[in-house]
Every structure is written in C-alpha cells, then in structure tokens.
Amino acid sequence: MPPNFFNSVLLICQFELKRLFSTRKGLLYIITFAVVWYFILLYPIRYASDLLGRQQSSGHGSTFFEFIGFGSLMNWQIPEFGVYWRFALIMFPILCISITADQTCSDRERGTFRFLTLRISRGRLFFGRFMGAMVIQAILIITTLITTLVLTVYRDGSLLSSAFNSSVAIAVNLLIVLLPFTAMMAALSATIKSAKQSTVWAILIWSFLAGIISGLSSYIPVLDNLKVLIPGYQMTELAQLSEWQPLHLAYVPLLQSFVLLIIGYWIMSRQTL
Amino acid sequence: MSRTIIQCQQLGHYYSGKAALNNVSFEVVEGEPVGLVGPNGAGKTTLMNILCGFLRPTLGSVSLFGLNPGNPELSDKLSALPQDARLDPTFTIGEQLQFFARLQGFSSKEANKEAVRVLDLVALKDSFKEKPVALSHGMSKRVSIAQALIGSPQLILLDEPTAGLDPINIRNIRSIISELSPKTTFIISSHDLEELGRVCQQILLLENGIMSSTRLNMSENDSPTRFFTIQMEPCLASEVIGQLKRLAGVIHVSNPQKNEFIVEYNYEIEPQIDLKIITCITDNHWQYRQFSRGKTLEEKLFFEKQ
C-alpha cells in the first residue's frame, strides 16, 4: 500500500539527507562548510567574544560597539552567541540560497521527476524536498551551535545552562528566518531550469523588489509596507535583538513562507514534466 | 467481462497554437497489449505524457481506472517507461530503484529484494551498485524498463521500449511483456511495427493528432478477400507478378517495395492459395525469404488507404 502524505514526505526527506551524507558531492560540501566554519569559529567568534568580554567587564565597551553599529552585541548574556547571531544572519541566508537552489530543477530537466511523479504526487514531492532542505539546514545550524557551545563552555564551564538556552533560541529563530528563503528557492526551483539560474533569479528578484518598493515609497510612503513581501526584510531589526526576542518578528517570515509555498506548489502542480 | 482502464474524451493538446492532439477519444480495456503508432510528430509522446500525468491536456478529459492522471492512488496501478527520462547520476541504480519501491509502499527490506528482482528481469542484476553514468544507452533503457516493473502494476505504458536495444534484449523485453500479459495491460508506443505486430492485438494509430483503432487479425479473417505477403530474393518483378496473377483466385498482385509482393486473393475461390503460390515459386526456380499471411502492419496502417 502506498505511504500516506507524512510518510512520503519523510521518505523524500531521508533521501535528501542521504544525498548530503553519503554521496561524494554531499561530503565535499560538508567538508568545505566545516573548514569555513572552523575559521569563523576560531577567529571572528573567539576573538570578538574575547574583546566583548573585556569591554563588558571594563564597562566602557558599549559606547565603542554602539559607535561601530554593533551595540546590540552587548545585550547577549554570552558574547560568543552574540557574534554568532550576527554572523549567522548573513551567512546562513547566503548559504541557503546556494544549497536550496536545486530542490527540483535539475531532476525536472533530467526527467528523473517523471520516475518520481509516477509514484507520488507533485505536492508530496515539493513539500518533501522543501522539508529535506530545511532539515539539512537545521543540521548545519545545530552543528555550528554545538561547536560554539563547546567553545563557550571551554572558556567558562559555569556558562553551560545559559549557553544552552542561547543555542536553542538561536536555532529556533534562525530556522524561522531561513524558512522564506528556502520557500522562495523552492518556488523558483519549480519553474526555472537550473540551480544557477534559480540563484541569479533570486538575487534579481530581491534587488528589484527592494529597489522598486523603495523607489515607489519615496513618492507614496504607505507603499513602504510592501517591504514585508521581501524575504529577510526584517533582518536589520533582527540583528538588534537578542536571545528569544526575535520571536516577536517571527510572524513575518512565517507568513512569507506560507505565501511562497502556496505559490511554489501552484507552479509545481501545473508544470509540464 | 473486461473493464475499461483508460478513457479519453475529446482530448486535445496544443503547443503554441499548433495541435499535437485533436479531439482524440478512445478507450482501452484491460487485457492484451495495445500498440500506439504514428509518424513523427503525430502526438504519441504527448498522449503518453498526458496519460502519465506529466502534461495537462488543453482540452478534453482523461481517466485511468476512473481517476485523473497524477492521482496518488494510481501509484500502485500505473507504471511507465517515459521517453528521455534519466536517473539521478548521484546515486547508484540499486539505491534509486529501492527508493522508488519504498515510495510505492515496500518496506526497506522488500524494496531491496524488489530492486534486485526487476534488475534481474532485464538482465542487469550486476549493475545494482553501478551509477547511471556507467551504463550504455541500451542498458539505461533496460534500467528504465526495470523501474516500470516494480510492484505489480495493472497498466504499464512503454514509450519506445525497444529503441536502442540489441536483438537479445528486444527478445527479452518481448518475453517479459508476454509473461505479464494479460494480467498487466501494456500500451506500447513504437515505430518498430514488426515488433508491435508480434506483441499486440490492437493498434491505435495517431496521425496528425487524430486517433483511429485497428484490431489485428480480425477484420481480415471475416472477409473473403485476403492477402499474402512474399519477400523474394532478387527477381524480375514483372515476371513474378505475371505468374502469380495467373493463379486461380488471385485478384491482384502489387509490388510496394523492391522484391516484396502482396497477393490479394479470394479465399472462397481458392482456400489453399498458399500451396499454389509456393508451387509457382518452386516451378519457376525463384527463391523466397519470407512468406506470411496478411499484409505487413506497415502496409495496413500507412499505405492501405492510399
């Protein structure tokens, strides 16, 4: 008997994980990511948190960090996670665009989708691939957070519980931030022929959408509210928030994701394979 | 009583305003394999794609087992060999076939067995751990046929199944089709009319997007006018035609191709015309390569009306 919706999505999700962890291409990607992350952890996070820690204890730091636009870092209980949060808000969305650009396009162009859609519906395939992309990103986020937690506890063992709380808060918030980016790439991937083209289109759409809305809102200020349509538009505000505070803005990415997934599913269900 | 498994009503599909299918209506009942033929651009692949749910028709309606194409409930009933579809080059063939089986509801262990079974059917058991790029065109085609055999589908659509295969594997595919029929109904789209003539009892002909149906070996046996097709070794056509025409019961002898003759005769006048023809060939010291009852499928489908 064919599996139900949930089990089909789970099977596709598992297969996407297999693609990452058991194929040469996937392993190469993990190794590259690990090397890049090692340097980020070792230099910016460790040294910046050392500096922050010293400034916090001396009491003169906030003015300097506020002067350079990083005052919000002082709101974090543990400086390592403050620096992580600022880095992650830039790094993970960029990473998301590159790793989730090929959710469906190359399979569709190759005809592999034909084999799959004979067995499961396009909807299950679409949402399964989306879930797979989210799970992969969740694994990367959790891994990087664990390494940051280890670094923090190595510096000061008494910070374990606060570090754990910050890690969970960041993981949840970061995943919510990445939802609309992944959903947008899912929608683009459903209609565009290659991963490279999806990435280019994503950048163009973001730039033009932001440009057009900014241009129009200078004449009609109320149109500035349309910025809510742009995935990640709340990032500047998020960077100023710490720990669990970003959850107050979670409705924006959740709403964007919902709309983008509906658009993506609509495209996918009408696409010629 | 055989049930209808495919029902197409006034189906139409247009590419940039040009009709690939035009008002096509037909039904297929479960049972013997059905051939789908037509010249290039006739709309065969478009029709196959619509039946598989890869393409939405511009007009009309289609139902398979009473369901719309692409309905998840068809997953264990319908299977297909799609044209120009390739497997993911990242994974091994075994991994992908197992995954397809899992999606069809097999457990992990059963999926592994099923993947081995279907690869064995197409004589590619040893390629289980190979990646698709390591296979030749013919082998890739056989793997694609193998995926269509996963589970026990009631209907299998095969788009050009023997194109690019060697004679041994063509025979193997033919025997798979014969073994699974009529429990599984096959619809085979192909340009290999000889192959279709061997396997199918019914032929659907698509020409300029319009469908007609022919039942093989049926209409001819009901009629007093029947045919024999003779493939001769190099010979003088006028001489052969002249001699054959003299035989009692022969109505007409045509020479559609070099060294090929179609003898039209009246069965009621001479029921044993085959013996007479053979005697005539022997008496004249001619040699023949092939002697077969009826017209070739090619002649019937594409040249009879001309």
Side-chain angles (χ1 to χ4, degrees):
Chain A
M1 196 175 160
N4 59 28
F5 181 88
F6 180 75
N7 286 335
S8 303
V9 168
L10 206 66
L11 277 170
I12 295 163
C13 215
Q14 281 173 357
F15 203 66
E16 290 310 296
L17 288 179
K18 198 173 176 181
R19 192 188 297 279
L20 182 70
F21 292 109
S22 74
T23 65
R24 197 182 297 170
K25 198 176 163 189
L27 288 172
L28 194 71
Y29 176 79
I30 290 175
I31 292 167
T32 313
F33 179 79
V35 170
V36 171
W37 180 250
Y38 173 77
F39 285 109
I40 290 175
L41 190 69
L42 202 64
Y43 297 105
I45 293 185
R46 201 179 72 173
Y47 287 125
S49 54
D50 278 353
L51 183 65
L52 271 167
R54 280 203 296 273
Q55 297 287 350
Q56 269 174 340
S57 56
S58 69
H60 302 296
S62 58
T63 323
F64 167 70
F65 278 97
E66 274 162 16
F67 178 72
I68 62 166
F70 285 84
S72 62
L73 290 177
M74 308 301 286
N75 300 333
W76 287 81
Q77 279 180 299
I78 301 167
E80 279 87 344
F81 287 99
V83 179
Y84 177 102
W85 177 241
R86 294 296 289 247
F87 257 96
L89 282 179
I90 299 164
M91 187 179 77
F92 277 103
I94 293 171
L95 203 70
C96 173
I97 294 167
S98 72
I99 64 171
T100 65
D102 192 11
Q103 287 178 54
T104 53
C105 45
S106 62
D107 270 0
R108 202 182 61 248
E109 282 304 299
R110 200 190 303 115
T112 313
F113 247 39
R114 295 180 168 196
F115 295 129
L116 294 169
T117 52
L118 283 166
R119 293 165 171 94
I120 53 164
S121 69
R122 296 179 184 208
R124 292 177 188 199
L125 201 50
F126 177 78
F127 290 111
R129 289 283 171 97
F130 171 77
M131 282 303 294
M134 285 310 299
V135 170
I136 287 169
Q137 292 177 96
I139 289 170
L140 295 179
I141 289 169
I142 290 166
T143 312
T144 54
L145 280 169
I146 289 171
T147 56
T148 312
L149 189 135
V150 169
L151 188 80
T152 309
V153 174
Y154 179 74
R155 179 172 62 82
D156 184 349
S158 64
L159 293 172
L160 179 64
S161 88
S162 315
F164 184 75
N165 180 52
S166 297
S167 300
V168 176
I170 290 177
V172 171
N173 284 311
L174 211 47
L175 278 172
I176 293 172
V177 166
L178 294 178
L179 274 171
F181 288 94
T182 314
M184 177 144 188
M185 295 319 287
L188 283 171
S189 184
T191 184
I192 285 164
K193 288 185 175 181
S194 75
K196 277 182 193 166
Q197 280 185 36
S198 297
T199 310
V200 170
W201 272 102
I203 294 165
L204 285 177
I205 289 172
W206 270 307
S207 320
F208 278 103
L209 207 59
I212 290 167
I213 293 170
S214 297
L216 289 175
S217 60
S218 61
Y219 297 102
I220 312 163
V222 74
L223 292 180
D224 198 50
N225 294 323
L226 288 176
K227 280 186 178 164
V228 78
L229 294 173
I230 307 166
Y233 105 99
Q234 81 287 18
M235 296 286 239
T236 327
E237 282 176 75
L238 284 180
Q240 305 305 319
L241 302 174
S242 61
E243 311 286 348
W244 290 97
Q245 288 169 344
L247 271 188
H248 295 303
L249 289 172
Y251 71 95
V252 178
L254 289 176
L255 213 66
Q256 288 171 339
S257 310
F258 181 72
V259 173
L260 286 166
L261 283 175
I262 288 177
I263 294 170
Y265 172 67
W266 186 83
I267 294 168
M268 182 78 164
S269 56
R270 275 153 186 80
Q271 186 70 263
T272 295
L273 298 179
Chain B
M1 192 181 151
S2 297
R3 65 179 170 143
T4 304
I5 53 175
I6 298 180
Q7 215 164 14
C8 288
Q9 296 284 332
Q10 295 168 325
L11 205 59
H13 193 78
Y14 296 85
Y15 292 108
S16 313
K18 195 186 168 207
L21 289 177
N22 189 10
N23 203 20
V24 169
S25 297
F26 69 97
E27 286 186 357
V28 173
V29 293
E30 63 185 353
E32 294 302 324
V34 176
L36 177 64
V37 298
N40 292 335
K44 301 186 297 296
T45 298
T46 300
L47 179 62
M48 286 294 218
N49 287 344
I50 289 173
L51 293 175
C52 290
F54 304 149
L55 187 66
R56 291 157 70 93
T58 317
L59 295 168
S61 66
V62 193
S63 82
L64 298 105
F65 301 98
L67 301 163
N68 288 329
N71 188 314
E73 283 180 46
L74 285 172
S75 68
D76 57 348
K77 295 186 177 76
L78 169 73
S79 188
L81 162 70
Q83 201 181 52
D84 301 328
R86 287 175 292 135
L87 291 172
D88 190 331
T90 326
F91 296 99
T92 65
I93 286 151
E95 282 171 329
Q96 295 190 65
L97 295 185
Q98 273 179 36
F99 180 53
F100 295 159
R102 295 286 322 264
L103 291 175
Q104 283 181 234
F106 284 79
S107 70
S108 182
K109 210 180 239 178
E110 286 171 344
N112 186 50
K113 278 187 195 164
E114 187 64 3
V116 173
R117 181 187 75 85
V118 293
L119 280 176
D120 198 22
L121 279 176
V122 295
L124 280 174
K125 200 176 169 184
D126 294 340
S127 301
F128 189 88
K129 289 188 176 170
E130 301 272 9
K131 289 204 171 157
V133 283
L135 303 182
S136 68
H137 173 74
M139 288 162 97
S140 300
K141 176 64 79 69
R142 279 151 62 200
V143 171
S144 299
I145 293 172
Q147 66 77 35
L149 302 172
I150 293 174
S152 40
Q154 295 166 45
L155 172 64
I156 301 182
L157 309 175
L158 300 174
D159 200 352
E160 299 282 0
T162 53
L165 295 192
D166 58 63
I168 296 169
N169 282 300
I170 290 178
R171 180 176 282 197
N172 185 26
I173 300 303
R174 195 189 304 142
S175 64
I176 291 171
I177 294 171
S178 307
E179 263 174 46
L180 295 176
S181 291
K183 200 180 160 199
T184 301
T185 307
F186 286 87
I187 295 189
I188 307 161
S189 163
S190 179
H191 288 295
D192 188 343
L193 299 178
E194 202 179 322
E195 193 57 45
L196 287 180
R198 284 181 181 187
V199 177
C200 304
Q201 294 301 312
Q202 187 190 353
I203 299 290
L204 298 171
L205 171 65
L206 254 180
E207 244 178 333
N208 300 322
I210 297 165
M211 176 82 86
S212 62
S213 174
T214 306
R215 278 213 77 85
L216 302 180
N217 310 322
M218 290 283 283
S219 53
E220 204 171 89
N221 288 345
D222 296 338
S223 157
T225 305
R226 298 182 190 181
F227 300 88
F228 271 104
T229 302
I230 315 162
Q231 285 278 342
M232 301 290 286
E233 290 293 343
C235 60
L236 200 61
S238 56
E239 194 184 339
V240 175
I241 292 170
Q243 293 288 343
L244 291 176
K245 270 186 176 172
R246 283 186 203 156
L247 299 176
V250 170
I251 301 166
H252 181 68
V253 181
S254 61
N255 179 213
Q257 288 186 86
K258 195 178 176 187
N259 301 325
E260 184 180 295
F261 300 90
I262 297 172
V263 181
E264 185 182 353
Y265 71 101
N266 189 319
Y267 177 78
E268 284 164 359
I269 297 173
E270 184 53 84
Q272 291 191 319
I273 192 88
D274 44 354
L275 296 177
K276 297 278 168 72
I277 293 171
I278 295 285
T279 310
C280 175
I281 290 171
T282 316
D283 291 348
N284 286 286
H285 306 289
W286 300 327
Q287 301 287 321
Y288 71 92
R289 283 184 187 172
Q290 207 177 341
F291 187 76
S292 54
R293 192 183 294 275
K295 285 181 180 178
T296 60
L297 193 51
E298 177 186 277
E299 196 66 33
K300 269 188 195 170
L301 295 174
F302 297 105
F303 301 101
E304 203 164 54
K305 293 164 203 161
Q306 289 178 7

